[in-house]
Amino acid sequence: MIPPSSRRAPIAAPLPETTPAIRLGLGANWRQFALLVVVNAFVGAMVGLERTVVPLIARADFGLVSKTVVLSFLVSFGIVKALANLFAGQLADRIGRKPLLVAGWLAGLPVPLLIIWAPSWGWVVFANVLLGVNQGLCWSTTVIMKIDLVGPARRGLAMGVNEFAGYVAVSLSALVTGYLAAAHGLRPTPFYPGIAFALLGLALSVFAVRETHGHARVEARQLGQAAAQPRFAQILLLTTWHDRTLFAASQAGMVNNMNDGMVWGLIPVFLAARGVALDRIGVVTATYPLVWGVGQLATGALSDRWGRKWMIASGMWVQAVGVAAFVVSRSFWPWMAGATLLGIGTALVYPTPTGGRARWASTGCGAMPGTRSARSPRGSWPMRSACRSRSPRSLFLRSPRE
């Protein structure tokens, strides 16, 4: 007989570990959402480093006079970024959102150093190849992750906040580099902030950002989506040719990016040829993305309420007037007006095609490369019953709240 005082108390069975339930919506996920806003600001600041200075380096440091050669850095950036955008959605499904974000920052780390040390223009072109990878992976991934977090009701707002953070950072970075270049020369000082941007963006992505693929799975279950996997060729043909609404959205994005490339590559050279000082060139090149970024806080949310078609069409007309202002003007303030109009027009155009395609992909009628994966556990092709009940065109154009 064991004395009562020496008996061992029964050991309770360990409770099963529970994981917190995943909730969709901005209110439930505002901390991670805000963190992704900060990360995307660093992404934008990286590309803002080049807005004022790099087109001028070609002539001042390397003696290049051919506009075609000068713009080669922009061509390399655009091609690589487009390909990175195209495959970001599929890669985000296969390896996760966070690893893709970290990979993008690793590609961006050498960019400012390559431009600082460049002995030839080829180094600058290669730096922009890496910058294209950085922008394509990081920017696309932050978009996907924000859409994962907010769920189906606030996509336009998520896009607007994402683009606001990114392009305000582009603006401030372009402004700072313009002033640094005016005070200290085109290299190396204007690119020192880029080293800090890349390190901070990478550190936040590694240690603070959390994976959001689980949120996409939750939304897919809520929407009752099937798990049939479409072929990539099907998605590409549907979004660029077979469906005229998505074709229109895609061409709107293409034209918008062509305008952006013109401002990035030609406006600094155009203004410098007319004797505008470096700090004032920085002000003009910063005004356009600043107006663009701030405007998207309104246009992104309004596109959820008022629809997207009229915003895209009117925005392109405003862009055309802004481009014309640069062509016909001969002084600083009309050029500032042109930059402002370009920013307003781009704010109307830019978030609405992406928000519309993301909404279309999420509600049961297909997907587009780069965003399809955000809406289902395996990049799923949504269920046919939803497609029968609502067409892509009605989702994108007809509903006042979509």
Side-chain angles (χ1 to χ4, degrees), residues 243-274:
D243 186 272
R244 70 177 188 177
T245 302
L246 289 178
F247 173 79
S250 297
Q251 67 83 29
M254 182 185 72
V255 173
N256 186 77
N257 287 335
M258 288 174 63
N259 289 336
D260 182 52
M262 177 204 67
V263 173
W264 181 358
L266 293 180
I267 294 302
V269 177
F270 174 85
L271 296 177
R274 282 152 182 77

Side-chain angles (χ1 to χ4, degrees), residues 43-105:
V43 179
M46 286 292 290
V47 77
L49 288 172
E50 299 196 352
R51 290 273 169 159
T52 304
V53 177
V54 167
L56 304 177
I57 288 175
R59 175 172 293 184
D61 286 7
F62 303 113
L64 301 177
V65 295
S66 168
K67 299 296 188 297
T68 302
V69 176
V70 170
L71 293 179
S72 59
F73 83 96
L74 193 55
V75 173
S76 65
F77 169 84
I79 291 173
V80 173
K81 183 177 185 291
L83 292 173
N85 285 336
L86 186 63
F87 293 105
Q90 287 185 319
L91 291 172
D93 270 340
R94 293 179 181 179
I95 66 174
R97 280 84 159 119
K98 180 172 177 174
L100 201 64
L101 182 63
V102 172
W105 277 117

Side-chain angles (χ1 to χ4, degrees), residues 92-157:
D93 270 340
R94 293 179 181 179
I95 66 174
R97 280 84 159 119
K98 180 172 177 174
L100 201 64
L101 182 63
V102 172
W105 277 117
L106 290 174
L109 276 178
V111 170
L113 297 174
L114 286 170
I115 298 176
I116 288 171
W117 295 331
S120 67
W121 186 244
W123 281 49
V124 178
V125 173
F126 177 66
N128 276 267
V129 169
L130 296 179
L131 184 64
V133 176
N134 166 258
Q135 297 291 302
L137 296 185
C138 290
W139 202 296
S140 295
T141 304
T142 57
V143 170
I144 291 172
M145 295 177 84
K146 288 187 184 74
I147 290 175
D148 286 344
L149 293 172
V150 300
R154 309 295 296 275
R155 303 210 195 286
L157 176 63

Side-chain angles (χ1 to χ4, degrees), residues 333-364:
W333 289 110
W335 290 328
M336 283 288 291
T340 302
L341 288 172
L342 272 171
I344 294 171
T346 308
L348 289 168
V349 173
Y350 193 78
T352 46
T354 308
R357 289 175 301 203
R359 173 66 178 154
W360 177 82
S362 70
T363 50

